[in-house]
Amino acid sequence: SLEEQISNIKKELLELPQKKQWYHFIFNSNLENKKLELEGKLKELQEKKNIEDAKIFVAAKLEEEIKEVITENIKNIVFNSNIVQNEVANKNNEIPLKNEYDIPKISKSTKNKIEYLNTIINNIEKIQNDNKVTTFFENKNYKINYEKELNERQLEAVQTIENPLLIIAGAGTGKTKTLSYRVAYMLENSINPENILLLTFTRKAAKEMIDRTKMLLQLNNINIQGGTFHSFANIVLRKYYKLLGIQPNFTIIDTIDSEDIIDLIKRDLDLKTIKDKGNIRKSTIQKIISKSRNLQTTIKKVIKKEYLGYEDFADDINIIYEHYIEYNKKHFIYDYDDLLIALRDSLKTNKEFKEILQNKYKYIMVDEFQDTNIIQKEIVDLLSDKYKNIMVVGDDSQSIYSFRGANYENILRFPETYPDCKIIKLEKNYRSRQDILNFSNNIINNFTIGYKKELYSDNKSEAIVDVKRFFDQEKEAEWIAGKIVELHNQNISLNNIAVLYRAGFHSNF
């Protein structure tokens, strides 16, 4: 009978790992609805005295409807980051399930690179970092009680001032606080604020750190050079324009302006391939050109790797690129890439300029180092080459800007560039419960490459991570919307519900 077969299926599921979650998810949702639908149809057939049709219907529908629902749910659920074991499949094994994702094929060159980077990481992590922390005065009366207000690792990072320092800051470990206290500590030890350079990825981040420092020291103003790589490049290029032989009144253009110039050049050139094989958007050309400059590689290599289908346009885009560079020089125009490249090249070729900046910025701090590109790393290395008082902070597990040319290898290779560097890991988390951190730690420490870290928290209250996998974005969005309605019906305010997504267009679903 229908009841017996459903009961047997339930029994099989209850023997599986995580049986409570399975039972709740499957039998308290879709399957019960299917059961009611089938019972209604069966009753209708029985009333018509069509027993044979009823039997055929039940047999067919059990196979098509109920087992389909079970199989779909099994395929969609992941518990505690473990995908269901192979034995969990439908009764006839029609849809075999895997206990892990397919491992992508890795080329020999990539394997060699991974091994090499891991060697760098392992070697630096073997170095004992238990030397006495660097302090300028043993018994100084500071305005700030650093030992009281910072945890052990934060304090060590704050007091390590001389020589290269790599800080691996896990999520929620008080990175901004540590940097602010480090600046304050340097100032309290009579370091000239004009000798400090703080490079960040947003003006807001730099302003927040400097404002915190002013508040800590109860100062109205601190003359520290802090800001983005681009703003720093703009300032020094304009300040030393005579030494560099450039126009002081150059114009900085944004991405939209850059696209318009590219479009103007494209129309003027009237290139054959673009004309014959169809138009190509100015925004696409701009992205390809910018990516090649940030990666310091050719147009063809960028297209081959990331813009399949545009191979025929490579030569024409390269011609546009050459004219674009010439146009900008002729009209004293700098786009964002130009600013960085001009600064990097000037540091490489103009010895006097390099020495001026090195002697001015003796203490350099770089935030979010995992998101720097090749050019930005070169700028940092050239500036710190003399005194080597360079501190970089970041987390290789949080690199998100590779689409803009960021190279997370920069943070992995830091010990290669600075063999005598010290590494400090900020691992005490002030944001999440320990269960959440355990889940994250398991993911992070199974990465093929990277710095090992073990985030921990004083918050031991229980938290459950529920991982769900969907076949497409529509089903994912449908489930999320349904969950929001469900929570709202339980009198949970919409203001207390958050949905995080990777890109803005995901919210459209």
Side-chain angles (χ1 to χ4, degrees), residues 341-352:
I341 292 171
L343 176 57
R344 188 270 313 272
D345 291 348
S346 298
L347 287 168
K348 276 186 174 182
T349 59
N350 194 314
K351 186 177 179 181
E352 185 180 355

Side-chain angles (χ1 to χ4, degrees), residues 185-284:
Y185 183 80
M186 293 166 73
L187 297 178
E188 287 213 77
N189 282 288
S190 302
I191 289 180
N192 187 341
E194 293 185 0
N195 293 145
I196 300 172
L197 174 62
L198 175 61
L199 294 172
T200 62
F201 271 80
T202 63
R203 290 189 297 271
K204 181 181 177 183
K207 184 177 184 302
E208 182 182 357
M209 292 176 196
I210 293 172
D211 286 347
R212 278 199 189 191
T213 304
K214 288 192 293 187
M215 183 181 68
L216 289 169
L217 298 176
Q218 299 176 355
L219 297 173
N220 293 325
N221 187 45
I222 301 175
N223 193 22
I224 290 174
Q225 181 63 58
T228 66
F229 279 89
H230 298 97
S231 65
F232 174 67
N234 178 39
I235 289 169
V236 296
L237 290 175
R238 291 188 191 276
K239 184 174 182 179
Y240 299 102
Y241 73 93
K242 289 183 179 178
L243 181 61
L244 300 175
I246 61 176
Q247 290 291 327
N249 58 340
F250 60 81
T251 302
I252 299 175
I253 59 171
D254 60 17
T255 302
I256 295 175
D257 293 329
S258 176
E259 290 174 1
D260 289 341
I261 292 172
I262 286 170
D263 191 49
L264 176 67
I265 293 169
K266 183 184 72 170
R267 284 189 277 109
D268 284 349
L269 291 174
D270 195 24
L271 297 164
K272 188 176 187 307
T273 304
I274 293 177
K275 189 175 181 180
D276 293 346
K277 296 199 173 184
N279 199 10
I280 178 172
R281 291 183 179 179
K282 59 184 181 181
S283 59
T284 302

Side-chain angles (χ1 to χ4, degrees), residues 226-401:
T228 66
F229 279 89
H230 298 97
S231 65
F232 174 67
N234 178 39
I235 289 169
V236 296
L237 290 175
R238 291 188 191 276
K239 184 174 182 179
Y240 299 102
Y241 73 93
K242 289 183 179 178
L243 181 61
L244 300 175
I246 61 176
Q247 290 291 327
N249 58 340
F250 60 81
T251 302
I252 299 175
I253 59 171
D254 60 17
T255 302
I256 295 175
D257 293 329
S258 176
E259 290 174 1
D260 289 341
I261 292 172
I262 286 170
D263 191 49
L264 176 67
I265 293 169
K266 183 184 72 170
R267 284 189 277 109
D268 284 349
L269 291 174
D270 195 24
L271 297 164
K272 188 176 187 307
T273 304
I274 293 177
K275 189 175 181 180
D276 293 346
K277 296 199 173 184
N279 199 10
I280 178 172
R281 291 183 179 179
K282 59 184 181 181
S283 59
T284 302
I285 298 174
Q286 191 277 332
K287 286 176 183 175
I288 292 172
I289 291 173
S290 180
K291 193 69 173 284
S292 73
R293 301 181 81 191
N294 281 295
L295 293 177
Q296 295 291 276
T297 189
T298 64
I299 297 288
K300 286 187 177 180
K301 286 183 179 179
V302 170
I303 290 175
K304 184 177 180 181
K305 186 176 180 181
E306 300 186 31
Y307 289 86
L308 296 177
Y310 288 89
E311 293 89 343
D312 292 340
F313 297 102
D315 290 336
D316 281 0
I317 294 175
N318 207 58
I319 293 170
I320 293 171
Y321 169 46
E322 291 170 357
H323 282 77
Y324 174 74
I325 298 299
E326 192 61 35
Y327 182 95
N328 286 357
K329 285 182 179 179
K330 183 179 178 180
H331 295 86
F332 311 119
I333 290 173
Y334 283 71
D335 65 17
Y336 297 141
D337 299 327
D338 290 323
L339 288 171
L340 298 183
I341 292 171
L343 176 57
R344 188 270 313 272
D345 291 348
S346 298
L347 287 168
K348 276 186 174 182
T349 59
N350 194 314
K351 186 177 179 181
E352 185 180 355
F353 175 67
K354 178 182 176 182
E355 287 181 351
I356 289 173
L357 293 191
Q358 285 181 335
N359 290 325
K360 180 173 178 61
Y361 302 112
K362 297 178 181 178
Y363 299 91
I364 300 170
M365 295 189 287
V366 185
D367 189 21
E368 306 290 7
F369 195 64
Q370 77 280 354
D371 288 324
T372 54
N373 61 31
I374 295 171
I375 303 168
Q376 290 164 332
K377 181 186 183 298
E378 287 183 287
I379 290 170
V380 171
D381 292 341
L382 289 162
L383 288 172
S384 62
D385 186 47
K386 184 174 183 178
Y387 294 99
K388 298 192 184 304
N389 295 324
I390 170 73
M391 182 227 73
V392 301
V393 60
D395 183 0
D396 52 301
S397 301
Q398 297 187 59
S399 182
I400 60 173
Y401 289 115

Side-chain angles (χ1 to χ4, degrees), residues 38-55:
L38 291 172
E39 286 179 333
K41 182 67 175 176
L42 181 60
K43 186 176 181 181
E44 179 185 331
L45 288 167
Q46 286 175 332
E47 286 175 352
K48 294 180 179 179
K49 306 296 184 185
N50 194 338
I51 304 302
E52 285 303 313
D53 284 352
K55 287 180 181 179

Side-chain angles (χ1 to χ4, degrees), residues 169-183:
T173 55
K175 179 197 68 176
T176 302
K177 178 181 179 180
T178 301
L179 292 182
S180 301
Y181 274 74
R182 191 173 191 269
V183 174

